[in-house]
Coordinates of all heavy atoms in Angstrom, one line a residue:
M85 N -13.6 4.4 -4.4 CA -12.2 4.1 -4.4 C -11.9 2.8 -5.1 O -12.6 1.8 -4.9 CB -11.7 4.0 -2.9 CG -11.6 5.3 -2.2 SD -11.0 5.1 -0.6 CE -12.0 6.2 0.2
E86 N -10.9 2.8 -6.0 CA -10.6 1.7 -6.8 C -9.7 0.7 -6.1 O -8.8 1.2 -5.4 CB -10.0 2.1 -8.1 CG -10.9 2.5 -9.1 CD -10.2 2.9 -10.4 OE1 -9.2 2.3 -10.7 OE2 -10.7 3.8 -11.1
T87 N -9.8 -0.5 -6.4 CA -8.8 -1.5 -5.9 C -8.1 -2.1 -7.1 O -8.8 -2.5 -8.0 CB -9.6 -2.7 -5.1 OG1 -10.3 -2.1 -4.1 CG2 -8.6 -3.6 -4.6
A88 N -6.8 -2.0 -7.1 CA -6.0 -2.5 -8.2 C -5.6 -3.9 -7.9 O -5.1 -4.2 -6.9 CB -4.8 -1.6 -8.4
M89 N -5.7 -4.8 -8.9 CA -5.2 -6.1 -8.8 C -3.7 -6.2 -9.1 O -3.2 -5.5 -10.0 CB -5.9 -7.1 -9.7 CG -7.4 -7.1 -9.4 SD -7.8 -7.4 -7.7 CE -7.4 -9.1 -7.5
A90 N -2.9 -6.9 -8.3 CA -1.5 -6.9 -8.4 C -1.0 -7.8 -9.6 O -1.6 -8.8 -9.9 CB -0.9 -7.4 -7.1
G91 N 0.2 -7.5 -10.1 CA 0.9 -8.2 -11.1 C 2.3 -7.8 -11.0 O 2.7 -7.2 -10.0
A92 N 3.1 -8.0 -12.0 CA 4.5 -7.6 -12.0 C 4.7 -6.1 -11.7 O 5.3 -5.8 -10.7 CB 5.2 -8.0 -13.3
D93 N 4.3 -5.3 -12.6 CA 4.5 -3.9 -12.4 C 3.1 -3.2 -12.2 O 3.0 -1.9 -12.2 CB 5.2 -3.2 -13.6 CG 6.7 -3.3 -13.5 OD1 7.2 -3.3 -12.4 OD2 7.3 -3.4 -14.6
V94 N 2.1 -3.9 -12.0 CA 0.8 -3.4 -11.8 C 0.7 -2.6 -10.5 O -0.1 -1.7 -10.3 CB -0.3 -4.5 -11.9 CG1 -1.7 -3.9 -11.6 CG2 -0.2 -5.2 -13.2
C95 N 1.6 -2.9 -9.6 CA 1.6 -2.3 -8.2 C 2.1 -0.8 -8.3 O 1.7 0.0 -7.5 CB 2.4 -3.1 -7.2 SG 1.7 -4.7 -6.9
T96 N 3.0 -0.5 -9.2 CA 3.6 0.8 -9.3 C 2.6 1.9 -9.4 O 2.7 2.9 -8.6 CB 4.6 0.8 -10.4 OG1 5.6 -0.2 -10.3 CG2 5.4 2.1 -10.5
R97 N 1.7 1.8 -10.3 CA 0.8 3.0 -10.5 C -0.1 3.2 -9.3 O -0.2 4.3 -8.9 CB 0.0 2.7 -11.8 CG -0.8 3.9 -12.3 CD -1.4 3.7 -13.6 NE -2.1 4.8 -14.1 CZ -2.8 4.8 -15.1 NH1 -3.0 3.7 -15.9 NH2 -3.5 5.9 -15.5
P98 N -0.8 2.2 -8.8 CA -1.7 2.4 -7.7 C -0.9 2.8 -6.4 O -1.4 3.6 -5.6 CB -2.4 1.1 -7.5 CG -1.8 0.1 -8.3 CD -1.0 0.8 -9.3
C99 N 0.3 2.3 -6.3 CA 1.1 2.7 -5.1 C 1.6 4.1 -5.2 O 1.6 4.8 -4.2 CB 2.3 1.7 -5.0 SG 1.9 0.1 -4.2
R100 N 1.9 4.5 -6.4 CA 2.3 5.9 -6.6 C 1.2 6.8 -6.3 O 1.3 7.9 -5.6 CB 2.7 6.1 -8.1 CG 3.4 7.4 -8.3 CD 3.9 7.6 -9.7 NE 5.0 6.6 -10.0 CZ 5.2 6.0 -11.1 NH1 4.5 6.2 -12.2 NH2 6.2 5.1 -11.2
K101 N -0.1 6.5 -6.7 CA -1.2 7.3 -6.3 C -1.5 7.3 -4.8 O -1.7 8.3 -4.2 CB -2.5 6.7 -7.1 CG -3.7 7.5 -6.9 CD -4.8 6.9 -7.7 CE -6.1 7.8 -7.6 NZ -7.2 7.2 -8.4
R102 N -1.4 6.1 -4.2 CA -1.6 6.0 -2.8 C -0.6 6.8 -2.0 O -0.9 7.3 -0.9 CB -1.6 4.5 -2.4 CG -1.9 4.3 -0.9 CD -2.4 2.9 -0.6 NE -2.7 2.8 0.8 CZ -3.8 3.2 1.4 NH1 -4.8 3.6 0.6 NH2 -4.0 3.0 2.7
C103 N 0.7 6.8 -2.4 CA 1.7 7.4 -1.7 C 2.0 8.9 -2.1 O 2.9 9.5 -1.6 CB 3.0 6.6 -1.9 SG 3.0 5.0 -1.1
S104 N 1.1 9.4 -3.0 CA 1.3 10.8 -3.5 C 1.4 11.9 -2.4 O 2.0 12.9 -2.6 CB 0.3 11.1 -4.5 OG -1.0 11.2 -3.9
H105 N 0.7 11.6 -1.3 CA 0.7 12.6 -0.2 C 1.6 12.3 1.0 O 1.6 13.0 2.0 CB -0.8 12.8 0.3 CG -1.7 13.3 -0.8 ND1 -1.6 14.6 -1.3 CD2 -2.7 12.7 -1.5 CE1 -2.5 14.8 -2.2 NE2 -3.2 13.6 -2.4
A106 N 2.3 11.2 0.9 CA 3.2 10.8 2.0 C 4.4 11.7 2.1 O 4.9 12.2 1.1 CB 3.6 9.3 1.7
K107 N 4.9 11.9 3.3 CA 6.1 12.7 3.5 C 7.3 11.9 3.0 O 8.2 12.5 2.4 CB 6.2 13.1 5.0 CG 5.2 14.1 5.4 CD 5.4 14.5 6.8 CE 4.4 15.5 7.3 NZ 4.6 15.9 8.7
L108 N 7.3 10.6 3.3 CA 8.5 9.8 2.9 C 8.0 8.9 1.8 O 7.7 7.7 1.9 CB 8.9 8.9 4.1 CG 9.3 9.7 5.4 CD1 9.5 8.8 6.6 CD2 10.6 10.5 5.1
K109 N 8.0 9.4 0.6 CA 7.5 8.7 -0.6 C 8.2 7.4 -0.9 O 7.6 6.4 -1.2 CB 7.5 9.7 -1.8 CG 6.5 10.7 -1.8 CD 6.4 11.5 -3.0 CE 5.5 12.7 -3.1 NZ 4.8 13.1 -2.0
R110 N 9.6 7.4 -0.8 CA 10.3 6.2 -1.1 C 10.0 5.1 -0.2 O 9.8 3.9 -0.6 CB 11.8 6.4 -1.1 CG 12.4 7.1 -2.3 CD 13.9 7.2 -2.2 NE 14.4 7.8 -3.4 CZ 15.7 8.1 -3.5 NH1 16.5 7.9 -2.6 NH2 16.1 8.7 -4.7
K111 N 9.9 5.4 1.1 CA 9.5 4.4 2.1 C 8.1 3.9 1.9 O 7.8 2.7 1.9 CB 9.7 5.0 3.5 CG 9.5 4.0 4.6 CD 9.8 4.6 5.9 CE 9.7 3.6 7.1 NZ 10.0 4.2 8.4
C112 N 7.2 4.8 1.6 CA 5.8 4.5 1.3 C 5.7 3.5 0.1 O 5.1 2.5 0.2 CB 5.0 5.7 1.1 SG 3.2 5.4 0.8
M113 N 6.4 3.9 -1.0 CA 6.4 3.1 -2.2 C 7.0 1.7 -1.9 O 6.4 0.7 -2.4 CB 7.2 3.7 -3.3 CG 6.5 4.9 -3.9 SD 5.0 4.5 -4.8 CE 5.6 3.5 -6.2
K114 N 8.0 1.6 -1.1 CA 8.7 0.3 -0.8 C 7.7 -0.6 -0.1 O 7.5 -1.8 -0.6 CB 9.9 0.5 0.1 CG 10.5 -0.8 0.5 CD 11.7 -0.5 1.5 CE 12.2 -1.8 2.1 NZ 13.3 -1.5 3.1
F115 N 7.1 -0.1 0.9 CA 6.1 -1.0 1.7 C 4.8 -1.2 0.9 O 4.2 -2.3 1.1 CB 5.9 -0.4 3.1 CG 7.1 -0.6 3.9 CD1 7.9 0.5 4.3 CD2 7.5 -1.8 4.3 CE1 9.0 0.3 5.1 CE2 8.7 -2.0 5.1 CZ 9.4 -0.9 5.5
C116 N 4.4 -0.2 0.2 CA 3.2 -0.4 -0.6 C 3.4 -1.6 -1.6 O 2.5 -2.4 -1.8 CB 2.8 0.9 -1.4 SG 1.3 0.8 -2.3
R117 N 4.5 -1.6 -2.3 CA 4.8 -2.7 -3.3 C 4.9 -4.0 -2.6 O 4.4 -5.0 -3.1 CB 6.1 -2.4 -4.0 CG 5.9 -1.3 -5.0 CD 7.2 -1.1 -5.8 NE 7.1 0.0 -6.7 CZ 8.0 0.8 -7.0 NH1 9.2 0.7 -6.5 NH2 7.9 1.8 -7.9
I118 N 5.5 -4.1 -1.4 CA 5.6 -5.3 -0.6 C 4.1 -5.8 -0.3 O 3.8 -7.0 -0.5 CB 6.4 -5.2 0.7 CG1 7.8 -5.0 0.3 CG2 6.2 -6.4 1.6 CD1 8.7 -4.5 1.5
C119 N 3.3 -4.9 0.2 CA 1.9 -5.3 0.5 C 1.1 -5.6 -0.7 O 0.3 -6.6 -0.7 CB 1.3 -4.1 1.3 SG 2.1 -3.8 2.9
C120 N 1.3 -4.9 -1.8 CA 0.6 -5.2 -3.0 C 0.9 -6.6 -3.5 O 0.1 -7.3 -3.9 CB 0.9 -4.1 -4.0 SG 0.2 -4.4 -5.7
G121 N 2.2 -6.9 -3.5 CA 2.6 -8.3 -3.9 C 2.0 -9.4 -3.0 O 1.6 -10.4 -3.5
K122 N 1.9 -9.1 -1.8 CA 1.4 -10.1 -0.8 C -0.1 -10.2 -0.9 O -0.7 -11.3 -0.9 CB 1.8 -9.7 0.6 CG 1.4 -10.8 1.6 CD 1.9 -10.4 3.0 CE 1.5 -11.5 4.0 NZ 2.2 -11.4 5.2
C123 N -0.8 -9.0 -1.0 CA -2.3 -9.0 -1.0 C -2.9 -9.0 -2.3 O -4.1 -9.2 -2.4 CB -2.7 -7.7 -0.2 SG -2.2 -7.7 1.5
K124 N -2.2 -8.8 -3.4 CA -2.7 -8.8 -4.7 C -3.6 -7.7 -5.0 O -4.5 -7.7 -5.9 CB -3.4 -10.1 -5.1 CG -2.5 -11.4 -4.8 CD -1.3 -11.4 -5.7 CE -0.6 -12.7 -5.5 NZ 0.8 -12.6 -5.1
C125 N -3.6 -6.6 -4.2 CA -4.4 -5.4 -4.4 C -3.8 -4.2 -3.6 O -3.0 -4.4 -2.8 CB -5.8 -5.7 -4.0 SG -6.0 -6.1 -2.2
V126 N -4.3 -3.0 -4.1 CA -3.9 -1.8 -3.4 C -5.2 -1.0 -3.2 O -5.9 -0.7 -4.2 CB -2.9 -1.0 -4.2 CG1 -2.6 0.4 -3.5 CG2 -1.6 -1.7 -4.3
P127 N -5.5 -0.6 -2.0 CA -6.8 0.2 -1.9 C -6.6 1.6 -2.4 O -5.4 2.0 -2.6 CB -7.0 0.2 -0.3 CG -5.7 -0.1 0.3 CD -4.9 -0.9 -0.7
G128 N -7.7 2.3 -2.5 CA -7.6 3.7 -3.0 C -6.8 4.5 -2.0 O -6.3 4.1 -1.0
A129 N -6.6 5.8 -2.3 CA -5.7 6.7 -1.6 C -6.1 6.8 -0.1 O -5.2 7.1 0.7 CB -5.7 8.1 -2.3
Y130 N -7.3 6.7 0.3 CA -7.7 7.0 1.7 C -8.5 6.0 2.4 O -9.2 6.3 3.3 CB -8.4 8.4 1.7 CG -7.6 9.5 1.3 CD1 -7.8 10.1 0.1 CD2 -6.5 10.0 2.1 CE1 -7.0 11.2 -0.3 CE2 -5.7 11.0 1.7 CZ -6.0 11.6 0.4 OH -5.2 12.7 0.0
G131 N -8.4 4.7 2.0 CA -9.2 3.7 2.7 C -8.7 2.3 2.4 O -8.2 2.0 1.3
K132 N -8.7 1.5 3.4 CA -8.2 0.1 3.3 C -9.3 -0.9 3.2 O -9.0 -2.1 3.1 CB -7.3 -0.2 4.4 CG -6.0 0.6 4.4 CD -5.1 0.2 5.6 CE -3.8 1.1 5.6 NZ -2.9 0.8 6.7
R133 N -10.6 -0.5 3.3 CA -11.6 -1.5 3.4 C -11.8 -2.2 2.1 O -12.4 -3.3 2.1 CB -12.9 -0.8 3.9 CG -13.6 0.0 2.9 CD -14.9 0.6 3.4 NE -15.6 1.4 2.5 CZ -15.6 2.7 2.4 NH1 -14.9 3.3 3.4 NH2 -16.2 3.3 1.5
H134 N -11.4 -1.7 1.0 CA -11.5 -2.4 -0.3 C -10.5 -3.5 -0.6 O -10.6 -4.2 -1.5 CB -11.5 -1.4 -1.5 CG -12.7 -0.4 -1.4 ND1 -14.0 -0.8 -1.7 CD2 -12.7 0.9 -1.0 CE1 -14.7 0.3 -1.6 NE2 -14.0 1.3 -1.1
C135 N -9.5 -3.5 0.3 CA -8.5 -4.5 0.2 C -8.1 -4.9 1.7 O -7.2 -4.5 2.2 CB -7.2 -3.9 -0.5 SG -5.9 -5.1 -0.7
P136 N -9.0 -5.8 2.3 CA -8.9 -6.1 3.7 C -7.5 -6.7 4.1 O -7.0 -6.4 5.2 CB -10.0 -7.1 3.9 CG -10.8 -7.2 2.7 CD -10.1 -6.5 1.6
C137 N -6.9 -7.5 3.2 CA -5.6 -8.1 3.5 C -4.6 -7.0 3.8 O -3.8 -7.1 4.7 CB -5.1 -8.9 2.3 SG -3.4 -9.3 2.3
Y138 N -4.7 -5.9 3.1 CA -3.8 -4.7 3.3 C -3.7 -4.2 4.7 O -2.7 -3.9 5.2 CB -4.2 -3.6 2.3 CG -3.1 -2.7 1.8 CD1 -2.3 -3.0 0.8 CD2 -3.0 -1.5 2.5 CE1 -1.4 -2.1 0.3 CE2 -2.0 -0.6 2.0 CZ -1.2 -0.9 0.9 OH -0.3 0.0 0.5
S139 N -4.8 -4.2 5.4 CA -4.8 -3.7 6.8 C -4.4 -4.7 7.8 O -4.2 -4.4 8.9 CB -6.2 -3.1 7.2 OG -7.2 -3.5 6.4
H140 N -4.3 -6.0 7.4 CA -3.9 -7.0 8.3 C -2.4 -7.4 8.3 O -2.0 -8.3 9.0 CB -4.7 -8.3 8.0 CG -6.2 -8.1 8.2 ND1 -6.7 -7.8 9.5 CD2 -7.2 -8.1 7.4 CE1 -8.0 -7.6 9.4 NE2 -8.3 -7.8 8.1
V141 N -1.6 -6.7 7.5 CA -0.2 -6.9 7.4 C 0.5 -6.0 8.4 O 0.3 -4.8 8.4 CB 0.4 -6.7 6.0 CG1 1.9 -6.9 6.0 CG2 -0.3 -7.5 5.0
H142 N 1.2 -6.6 9.4 CA 1.8 -5.9 10.5 C 3.3 -6.2 10.7 O 3.7 -7.2 10.2 CB 1.1 -6.2 11.8 CG -0.3 -5.7 11.9 ND1 -1.4 -6.5 11.4 CD2 -0.9 -4.6 12.3 CE1 -2.5 -5.8 11.6 NE2 -2.2 -4.6 12.1
T143 N 4.0 -5.2 11.3 CA 5.4 -5.4 11.6 C 5.5 -6.3 12.8 O 4.5 -6.6 13.5 CB 6.1 -4.0 11.9 OG1 5.5 -3.5 13.1 CG2 5.9 -3.1 10.8
L144 N 6.7 -6.7 13.2 CA 6.9 -7.5 14.4 C 6.4 -6.8 15.7 O 6.0 -7.4 16.7 CB 8.4 -7.8 14.6 CG 8.9 -8.8 13.5 CD1 10.4 -8.9 13.6 CD2 8.2 -10.1 13.5
R145 N 6.4 -5.4 15.7 CA 5.9 -4.7 16.8 C 4.4 -4.4 16.8 O 3.9 -3.7 17.7 CB 6.6 -3.3 16.9 CG 8.1 -3.4 17.1 CD 8.7 -2.1 17.2 NE 10.1 -2.2 17.5 CZ 11.0 -1.2 17.6 NH1 10.6 0.0 17.4 NH2 12.2 -1.4 17.9
G146 N 3.7 -5.0 15.8 CA 2.3 -4.9 15.8 C 1.7 -3.6 15.1 O 0.5 -3.4 15.1
R147 N 2.6 -2.8 14.5 CA 2.1 -1.7 13.7 C 1.7 -2.1 12.3 O 2.2 -3.1 11.8 CB 3.2 -0.6 13.7 CG 3.6 0.0 15.0 CD 4.7 0.9 14.8 NE 4.4 2.1 15.6 CZ 5.2 3.2 15.6 NH1 6.2 3.2 14.8 NH2 4.9 4.2 16.3
A148 N 0.9 -1.3 11.7 CA 0.5 -1.6 10.3 C 1.7 -1.4 9.4 O 2.4 -0.4 9.5 CB -0.6 -0.6 9.9
K149 N 2.0 -2.4 8.6 CA 3.1 -2.3 7.7 C 2.8 -1.6 6.4 O 3.6 -0.9 5.8 CB 3.6 -3.7 7.4 CG 4.9 -3.8 6.6 CD 5.4 -5.2 6.5 CE 6.9 -5.2 6.1 NZ 7.4 -6.5 6.3
C150 N 1.6 -1.7 6.0 CA 1.2 -1.1 4.7 C 0.7 0.3 4.9 O -0.1 0.6 5.7 CB 0.0 -2.0 4.1 SG 0.5 -3.7 3.9
P151 N 1.3 1.2 4.0 CA 0.9 2.6 4.1 C -0.5 2.9 3.6 O -1.0 2.2 2.8 CB 2.0 3.3 3.3 CG 2.4 2.3 2.3 CD 2.3 1.0 3.0

């Protein structure tokens, strides 16, 4: 699985790939871009271990924020 480094529009392509199987694509893309901007990376489609920061971003209720 590839990890993409973040930049201005660098998040769009890996987030699109990561959210390709999501039911709510717009919502997935929104939060993926937020997380990508914060973590400077996006893990591959099915794993977060290549971008550990991505799994540590949570909502106020303690749920994972990053799709």
Side-chain angles (χ1 to χ4, degrees):
M85 289 182 217
E86 274 182 37
T87 303
M89 298 311 288
D93 276 330
V94 179
C95 295
T96 301
R97 190 173 182 188
C99 282
R100 192 175 293 145
K101 184 176 181 181
R102 182 159 182 83
C103 294
S104 65
H105 298 290
K107 289 183 181 181
L108 303 172
K109 287 186 182 10
R110 282 185 178 175
K111 188 174 181 179
C112 181
M113 286 295 291
K114 175 185 173 183
F115 288 110
C116 183
R117 286 183 182 144
I118 290 170
C119 295
C120 177
K122 183 175 184 167
C123 297
K124 308 295 187 239
C125 61
V126 175
Y130 296 107
K132 294 183 182 179
R133 73 175 182 262
H134 296 287
C135 183
C137 166
Y138 205 84
S139 16
H140 297 295
V141 180
H142 293 88
T143 64
L144 294 174
R145 294 183 177 176
R147 294 177 138 185
K149 187 172 196 169
C150 304

